[in-house]
């Protein structure tokens, strides 16, 4: 019989570069999975690994990914019997009950969760990356001690994790929170979802990088260079660093996108009356720059009586949010398995 103190919870995060939302060019799609392992006191037990996986025309992608996790566990030197489970966070349309991601990593005749679980001989849980970020904020970050909060996952798209009445709200099938695809614009721009004029066609970090590349080509005065939509991950890092070093062009691009996001946040406030809006995900690395334009949009588009009750916070979890969320997902399912009756539910030990 394992005691809680012996249990280890690995968190496993996938981040996937998406095709540009404006159509036309189609980059090689790749993923940058990050793999980490946490104990019940939230210590990182083994170095976080990142890898690059080619998704396009790669039928073996899920197998390669599973092998990476196997190798990670093996290298950690921690026995499989001490591992509580594997949490997977990834973008896409995910049915958390069936353990299926309808957008990525299909596997014939099997669910992603069953396949990985059978290969690793461990329980596996999957959730949308934005919901996991919200879970991390709820348990460890800026949403702690709040009951109703909206967590923006500023990344390749503009994800949303919702905490309603102290719980992650996933909707009927887990598809809730597709904030990125609110049809806000009549701009005729094709979105990655196939529709036109969605929020992310103007405000995602992908689009910001595209605009920066165009601006550089047009001779804008900036220190930014070496941006590429193919190597989106590195480009976002370069761009956010430029913002934090005060590059005027980069700051203006990000501020403009943040104002657009603020228009979407105004809709959230009108419908859901949250206590706090949290800027999380990769964009939180330049969160202070995002904060003011979002507030400006709320001043212009939100009914003052409603907006007055909602504050904007910047996450302090940074790039750790998704891994923490994946680890928390394992713990929450463990707590459910151990205490299935509502009356028997206890808070996981790591929350105390
Ligand atoms: Zn869309």
């Amino acid at each position: 019989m394992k005691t809680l103190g012996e249990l280890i919870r690995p968190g496993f995060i996938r981040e996937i570069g998406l095709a540009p939302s404006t159509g036309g060019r189609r980059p090689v799609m790749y993923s940058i999975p990050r793999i980490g392992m946490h104990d019940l006191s939230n210590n990182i037990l083994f170095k976080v690994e990142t890898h690059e996986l080619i998704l396009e025309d790669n039928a073996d992608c899920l197998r390669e990914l599973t092998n990476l996790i196997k190798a990670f566990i093996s290298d950690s030197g921690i026995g499989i019997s001490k591992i509580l489970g594997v949490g997977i966070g990834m973008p896409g349309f995910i049915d958390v009950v069936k353990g299926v991601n309808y957008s990525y990593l299909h596997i014939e005749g099997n669910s992603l969760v069953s396949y990985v679980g059978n290969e690793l001989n461990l329980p596996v849980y999957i959730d949308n990356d934005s919901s996991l970020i919200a879970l991390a904020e709820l348990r460890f970050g800026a949403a702690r001690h709040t009951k109703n909060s909206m967590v923006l996952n500023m990344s390749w798209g503009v994800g949303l994790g919702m905490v309603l009445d102290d719980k992650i709200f996933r909707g009927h099938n887990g598809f809730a929170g597709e904030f990125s695809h609110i049809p806000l614009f009549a701009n005729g721009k094709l979105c990655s979802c196939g529709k036109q004029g969605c929020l992310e066609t103007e405000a995602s970090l992908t689009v910001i990088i595209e605009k920066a590349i165009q601006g550089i080509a047009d001779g804008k005065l900036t220190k930014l260079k070496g941006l590429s939509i193919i190597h989106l991950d590195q480009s976002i890092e370069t761009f956010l660093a430029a913002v934090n070093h005060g590059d005027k062009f980069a700051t203006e691009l990000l501020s403009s996108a943040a104002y657009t996001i603020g228009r979407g946040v105004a809709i959230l406030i009108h419908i859901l009356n949250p206590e706090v809006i949290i800027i999380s995900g990769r964009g939180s690395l330049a969160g202070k720059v995002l904060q003011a334009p979002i507030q400006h949009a709320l001043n212009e588009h939100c009914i003052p009586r409603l907006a007055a009750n909602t504050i904007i916070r910047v996450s302090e979890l940074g790039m750790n949010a998704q891994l923490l969320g994946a680890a928390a997902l394992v713990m929450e399912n463990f707590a459910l398995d151990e205490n299935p009756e509502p009356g028997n539910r206890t808070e996981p030990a790591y929350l105390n």
Side-chain angles (χ1 to χ4, degrees), residues 4 23 32 132 148 196 208:
L4 272 181
I32 311 286
L132 284 192
N148 298 287
Q196 294 181 21
I208 293 171

Side-chain angles (χ1 to χ4, degrees), residues 57-70:
D57 299 325
N58 182 7
D60 286 333
C61 193
L62 184 57
R63 191 168 296 114
E64 288 174 14
L65 201 54
T66 309
N67 288 338
L68 286 173
I69 306 173
K70 278 183 188 169

Side-chain angles (χ1 to χ4, degrees), residues 23-206:
R25 289 165 294 134
R26 182 176 165 78
V28 173
M29 292 178 70
Y30 66 94
S31 66
I32 311 286
R34 300 178 71 224
I35 309 175
M37 189 179 281
H38 295 241
D39 69 9
L40 290 164
S41 301
N42 234 2
N43 301 307
I44 294 174
L45 293 177
F46 194 57
K47 66 182 188 322
V48 174
E49 286 186 0
T50 57
H51 299 272
E52 183 166 306
L53 277 177
I54 303 295
L55 283 183
E56 198 167 68
D57 299 325
N58 182 7
D60 286 333
C61 193
L62 184 57
R63 191 168 296 114
E64 288 174 14
L65 201 54
T66 309
N67 288 338
L68 286 173
I69 306 173
K70 278 183 188 169
F72 179 86
I73 292 172
S74 172
D75 291 348
S76 75
I78 292 169
I80 201 100
S81 63
K82 291 191 172 180
I83 296 176
L84 189 57
V86 176
I88 299 179
M90 54 193 300
F93 294 118
I94 293 172
D95 188 320
V96 294
V97 177
K98 292 180 180 171
V100 174
N101 186 338
Y102 292 104
S103 306
Y104 303 106
L105 299 182
H106 304 282
I107 182 151
E108 203 66 41
N110 208 344
S111 75
L112 188 154
V113 161
S114 300
Y115 174 80
V116 179
N118 288 335
E119 287 290 313
L120 300 178
N121 199 25
L122 283 170
V124 173
Y125 309 98
I126 186 173
D127 208 341
N128 177 280
D129 55 349
S130 298
S131 290
L132 284 192
I133 283 178
L135 184 58
E137 297 292 352
L138 178 63
R139 298 299 181 217
F140 312 110
R144 212 170 176 194
H145 309 305
T146 66
K147 286 181 84 73
N148 298 287
S149 52
M150 301 288 109
V151 182
L152 301 176
N153 176 17
M154 183 79 186
S155 186
W156 285 282
V158 189
L160 173 69
M162 293 186 277
V163 178
L164 295 178
D165 209 13
D166 223 11
K167 295 186 185 70
I168 301 295
F169 179 76
R170 297 182 173 89
H172 178 53
N173 294 100
F175 299 146
E178 286 300 332
F179 186 60
S180 223
H181 303 289
I182 295 176
L184 268 185
F185 302 98
N187 59 10
K189 289 185 182 174
L190 185 64
C191 182
S192 61
C193 73
K195 302 296 183 187
Q196 294 181 21
C198 298
L199 174 66
E200 77 168 39
T201 65
E202 295 289 348
S204 69
L205 286 172
T206 308

Side-chain angles (χ1 to χ4, degrees), residues 287-327:
K288 286 207 165 122
V289 174
L290 291 159
Q291 207 167 4
I294 290 175
Q295 183 62 58
H296 183 47
L298 296 185
N299 295 343
E300 289 194 352
H301 298 287
C302 219
I303 296 168
R305 187 179 295 277
L306 275 72
N309 294 314
T310 303
I311 57 172
I312 301 171
R313 286 184 190 150
V314 177
S315 168
E316 294 183 353
L317 299 179
M319 291 295 286
N320 291 328
Q322 291 192 42
L323 279 171
L324 280 168

